[in-house]
Amino acid sequence: MSYQEVYEGWKSDPEGFWMQAAEAIDWDRQPSKALFDKGNDLYEWFADGLTNTCWNAVDRHVEAGRGGQVAIIHDSPITGTLHKITYSELRNRVARLAGALRAKGVGKGDRVIIYMPMVPEALEAMLACSRLGAIHSVVFGGFAANELAVRIDDAKPKAIIAASCGLEPGRVVHYKPLLDGAIELATHKPDFTVIFQREQEVAKLNEGYDFDWHGFQYGVEPADCVPVEGNHPAYILYTSGTTGAPKGVIRHTGGHLVALNWSMKNIYNVDPGDTFWAASDVGWVVGHSYICYAPLIHGNTTIVFEGKPVGTPDAGTFWRVISEHNVRSFFTAPTAFRAVKRDDPKGEYVGKYDISGLRAIYLAGERADPDTIEWAQKVTGKPIYDHWWQTETGWTIAGMPAGIEALPVKIGSPSVPMPGYDVQILDEAGHPMPAGELGAIAVKLPLPPGTLPTLWNAEDRFRKSYLSHFPGYYETGDAGMIDEDGYLYIMARTDDVINVAGHRLSTGGMEEVLASHPDVAECAVIGVTDQLKGQLPMGFVCLTTGVNRPHDEIVKECVKLVRDKIGPVAAFKLCAVVDRLPKTRSGKILRATMVKIADSEEFKLPATIDDPAILDEIKVALQALGYAKG
């Protein structure tokens, strides 16, 4: 069948399409139907079915005689170790960990926060939660204590599973002090923690509260899978909100299983037994969907990679891993390729490895710039597919249906909408725009299985963030257009969430931190273009009257403040002290105009500007930071 036939088939009978896709999943009780319309624009999928994620991701493959197949390859150039875990071993490890959690009172519906680096134990912790019907919330390892505390107070976990440390090239990130600091800051106190001690740093445990990963599992009864309803939350994943508080995206169990399983063959074109590699982190949505769940549900071998695209040891790491483990489909962020390209512009490292088994490379996480795609095509000789989705959707909105049909690639476009997504371009009033015209990208409700049904304990915020602007649609927050062939183009964010090396961070959140500095009266954070990371945050601070300390001292303190409160992931290093910020007469800061000046782009003087002279002052400050060169 062609892509067009599959997509039209879904459109004409969505119920039949998803019920058929659900046949590939093991159910303890078959769902009576696919879509449950709860009214008022709320929907659930396979709600009355009973199933278990861990059973579908692990046990059923063992029962089907594939227990000897490798499930997880842990490749860590940082520690110089390689470790393979078969499906049988994985089942035993996960059942034992689940049994130990159960013995300490963790059960269906309880939340567990997971705060771990790129080790197989992170996946085992996720799977052990799903085995018990507990709801996990993975927080990116090394996230600042303050950010972790906010998530503890929102999810109210019974337990936290963490590692003693994470490893970056040349340094150890101490997780335990961050965890202790977060628990101290949080109002909600978890009952206990489980600490996976790594040999690079053994953390000090508090007797009776912190339990050692291995010791805590000793002599326990392994746990069986607990069947849960199709609409039981599998996990909560926090994503940056435009206001300070993070949004807890929920994933329901049934739709998650069905959609992710469907995506592995149809989008990523892998068969059970093939090795699939998503070079991301378990703390992000790509790590949830395509390091942990989808590959295992589909019976693939997944790679947990602890390293960097360059420097561990060189720009050939990607090609080594692909060649050594015979990776069939590879998924990474454009920022990773920009780093590789900077170190190896001619792609000489590619020639040192046999990557003939690789079928295609998939890019996502931020807009893939044409330069990067063309370079990757040239040096690898492989198809490079950009695809677009969000933490909220959990899987591809628009991409290349390579397992159905490889359509022509149009550079700059993530290709076409997947079944389940009726993507529309709307004007401000919510009317569809003609082909080739820019507008807000929205998806007609209902969203497909596997996407967010609502936010954790925040239905009003869910409506306000996604549903209220265009009634009957999910608002993606991106702007773009659809061409005459039905290809989608993503042009910009419609708000101020910036993308630093594939990590979505809210400039609003950084502004809140800067504003807390005693000498700062007012501030703005914008995202400026960066060759390597895609975007970098840049702060502008106006000082409180009467402050006469050296500016560079204040800037240093501001940088440290953001690092402490949000974490190194924000990559916040650019900051300038300015006299005033450019604003509209109603007091809105003209961030978009500041971005254009920084990136040396043409801009139209906003009609509502209060004092145009301020833009020249901003330009001078930007030039001192090495921007606004044009």
Side-chain angles (χ1 to χ4, degrees), residues 1 6 21 24 257-274 276 290 294-300 328-329 359-360 362 385 395-396 400-406 418-419:
M1 276 170 100
V6 173
L257 286 165
V258 173
L260 289 188
N261 183 69
W262 184 90
S263 72
M264 287 305 288
K265 177 60 186 168
N266 293 287
I267 299 171
Y268 300 105
N269 197 20
V270 287
D271 296 309
D274 287 343
F276 176 84
Y290 293 105
L296 296 176
I297 292 162
H298 193 247
N300 291 101
R328 293 304 203 167
S329 286
R359 297 193 186 107
Y362 294 79
Y385 299 138
W395 64 286
T396 309
M400 179 62 71
I404 301 170
E405 173 189 15
M418 291 298 106

Side-chain angles (χ1 to χ4, degrees), residues 319-351:
W319 320 124
R320 172 193 67 76
V321 172
I322 288 166
S323 147
E324 223 169 271
H325 307 306
N326 194 19
V327 173
R328 293 304 203 167
S329 286
F330 174 49
F331 179 163
T332 191
T335 190
F337 271 167
R338 286 196 287 268
V340 174
K341 177 181 167 207
R342 194 173 76 175
D343 275 23
D344 184 21
K346 295 200 179 80
E348 287 165 1
Y349 276 102
V350 183

Side-chain angles (χ1 to χ4, degrees), residues 305-553:
F305 172 73
E306 188 178 40
K308 295 277 186 248
V310 296
T312 58
D314 54 42
T317 296
F318 278 176
W319 320 124
R320 172 193 67 76
V321 172
I322 288 166
S323 147
E324 223 169 271
H325 307 306
N326 194 19
V327 173
R328 293 304 203 167
S329 286
F330 174 49
F331 179 163
T332 191
T335 190
F337 271 167
R338 286 196 287 268
V340 174
K341 177 181 167 207
R342 194 173 76 175
D343 275 23
D344 184 21
K346 295 200 179 80
E348 287 165 1
Y349 276 102
V350 183
K352 299 182 180 178
Y353 301 97
D354 174 11
I355 61 164
S356 58
L358 183 68
R359 297 193 186 107
I361 294 170
Y362 294 79
L363 299 178
E366 58 190 319
R367 197 167 162 269
D369 54 296
D371 271 9
T372 301
I373 294 181
E374 283 159 0
W375 175 83
Q377 281 174 339
K378 194 172 92 218
V379 303
T380 64
K382 303 289 178 186
I384 313 292
Y385 299 138
D386 185 16
H387 62 321
W388 170 67
W389 48 292
Q390 302 176 321
T391 301
E392 289 84 350
T393 67
W395 64 286
T396 309
I397 304 171
M400 179 62 71
I404 301 170
E405 173 189 15
L407 303 168
V409 168
K410 292 192 184 193
I411 289 191
S413 165
S415 302
V416 293
M418 291 298 106
Y421 295 97
D422 181 350
V423 179
Q424 312 254 339
I425 308 294
L426 305 176
D427 65 16
E428 260 311 292
H431 304 122
M433 305 281 284
E437 294 207 17
L438 190 66
I441 306 173
V443 182
K444 208 166 186 323
L445 296 176
L447 289 176
T451 56
L452 84 169
T454 183
L455 294 172
W456 179 251
N457 288 341
E459 193 185 297
D460 290 346
R461 189 171 180 196
F462 170 68
R463 291 184 183 286
K464 195 165 158 279
S465 300
Y466 304 108
L467 307 181
S468 60
H469 193 161
F470 302 117
Y473 289 90
Y474 164 84
E475 182 188 4
T476 67
D478 281 306
M481 63 162 204
I482 294 176
D483 72 10
E484 60 291 342
D485 298 328
Y487 279 63
L488 182 68
Y489 290 77
I490 318 292
M491 316 304 274
R493 277 301 293 170
T494 51
D495 63 19
D496 288 314
V497 170
I498 63 167
N499 207 310
V500 181
H503 307 324
R504 279 183 62 200
L505 297 162
S506 162
T507 52
M510 292 183 221
E511 288 175 2
E512 283 181 22
V513 173
L514 291 180
S516 71
H517 188 288
D519 296 347
V520 172
E522 195 182 20
C523 63
V525 175
I526 60 172
V528 296
T529 303
D530 179 74
Q531 264 348 112
L532 187 61
K533 294 189 183 244
Q535 280 180 302
L536 280 178
M538 179 187 283
F540 297 87
V541 297
C542 303
L543 302 183
T544 311
T545 317
V547 171
N548 55 7
R549 297 170 53 219
H551 288 180
D552 56 348
E553 258 179 45

Side-chain angles (χ1 to χ4, degrees), residues 280-296:
S280 177
D281 188 283
V282 286
W284 313 119
V285 71
V286 172
H288 283 61
S289 293
Y290 293 105
I291 295 175
C292 183
Y293 289 116
L296 296 176

